[in-house]
Amino acid sequence: MKILRTPKELQAYRKDLRGSVGFVPTMGALHKGHLSLIEKSVAQNDHTIVSIFVNPTQFLPGEDFEKYPRRYEADKKICELAGVDALFMPEASAIYEKDEVLIKAPSQKGYVLEGHFRPGHFDGVLQVVNKLLHLANPHRAYFGKKDAQQLFLIQKMVREFFMDTQIVPCEIVRDDDGLALSSRNLYLSPEERQKALLIPKSLKRAAKLIQSGVIKTSSLKEQMLQILRPLKVEYVEIVDRKFDAIDDIRIGDSIILVAAYVGQTRLIDNIWI
Ligand code: AMP
């Protein structure tokens, strides 16, 4: 497996590749969620490039940029074993210049839900994903449904900028107890982890209620908030696949999203109905 440190190295490596290229951008501290994206890319492409970059521009002041877990040696091994061909691990100084040309997330869909509570977060996400897609120039790029709004906005950017990459959405990977895997789960104490299970529990309850015929999103949200009461909830929202709020569930076109703090740790999760 090649380790690439600079945009120049990645571009030179990419130039010589023949056949299809899959790309999996991550912030590292890799877990089975990331691995599922990587495995899909390895299965579907002749070459797979993974990036590990804790992107400073998508963290707001006061967020966890400094303490975000960095586990480069373990990550390298995971990638190597999974059959990754090249790992791109740049320094921020190699990616960003001063006073850059900026990409702005759309003023509506980029500033609701996650974008409301983390204003500017998606500007940073799109800025870096735009750069990474240009560098890796992949046929396919893999993103988790765990970050549903991010996935939506990246699909939108790729379409609107006429980029020649297929965005492949990947299912959410959960621990046996139901908690969606996240690098931030490393912050949780054993007690907090138990408490965090209320999040998947609330989503499962909503899915069950929908199965039993409840379709009013206001009733579903109310029931979920009951379950989530011990947590500091930022939002429980139900949207369609275009991220417009909806009054009634439409099977095959609805996403139920939660963001909540468990102690100091902010977690997000969702299910696609
Ligand atoms: P991150 O390192 O958190 O930026 O995530 C990198 C990619 O992995 C993103 O496309 C995430 O949506 C995806 N991802 C993170 N956690 C999971 C999970 N539990 N299941 C599936 N995909 C995930």
Side-chain angles (χ1 to χ4, degrees), residues 109-262:
K109 303 287 168 72
Y111 284 84
V112 292
L113 302 165
E114 282 303 284
H116 175 77
F117 288 96
R118 304 180 72 189
H121 166 66
F122 287 124
D123 298 1
V125 169
L126 296 178
Q127 184 82 4
V128 79
V129 171
N130 184 49
K131 285 175 186 261
L132 292 171
L133 288 178
H134 272 98
L135 289 172
N137 189 21
H139 296 85
R140 302 186 185 87
Y142 296 78
F143 291 88
K145 290 180 171 183
K146 163 86 170 23
D147 299 280
Q149 192 176 4
Q150 168 178 288
L151 169 63
F152 170 82
L153 291 171
I154 288 167
Q155 285 173 319
K156 189 167 158 64
M157 176 177 75
V158 163
R159 189 173 65 245
E160 291 172 5
F161 285 16
F162 308 105
M163 295 162 88
D164 204 10
T165 293
Q166 181 195 343
I167 302 300
V168 183
C170 300
E171 295 306 319
I172 299 176
V173 178
R174 297 176 180 281
D175 251 327
D176 291 342
D177 57 12
L179 189 66
L181 294 182
S182 162
S183 304
R184 290 191 168 98
N185 293 353
L186 291 167
Y187 300 151
L188 300 172
S189 70
E191 296 76 32
E192 286 175 336
R193 221 203 115 88
Q194 276 307 111
K195 243 179 133 182
L197 294 179
L198 294 174
I199 296 173
K201 191 176 165 193
S202 73
L203 290 166
K204 263 194 214 143
R205 176 70 59 85
K208 253 212 154 131
L209 286 166
I210 292 164
Q211 269 180 2
S212 70
V214 180
I215 58 156
K216 280 266 162 277
T217 55
S218 53
S219 320
L220 294 165
K221 283 193 265 184
E222 213 170 282
Q223 300 269 342
M224 289 177 68
L225 284 166
Q226 294 275 352
I227 295 174
L228 293 166
R229 199 175 284 168
L231 308 183
K232 195 181 132 214
V233 176
E234 278 199 335
Y235 61 82
V236 170
E237 201 47 78
I238 305 181
V239 297
D240 63 17
R241 298 283 158 91
K242 291 184 172 152
F243 274 82
D244 287 312
I246 50 175
D247 293 332
D248 295 316
I249 290 287
R250 293 193 298 265
I251 306 284
D253 188 33
S254 307
I255 310 174
I256 308 180
L257 306 128
V258 177
Y261 276 93
V262 183

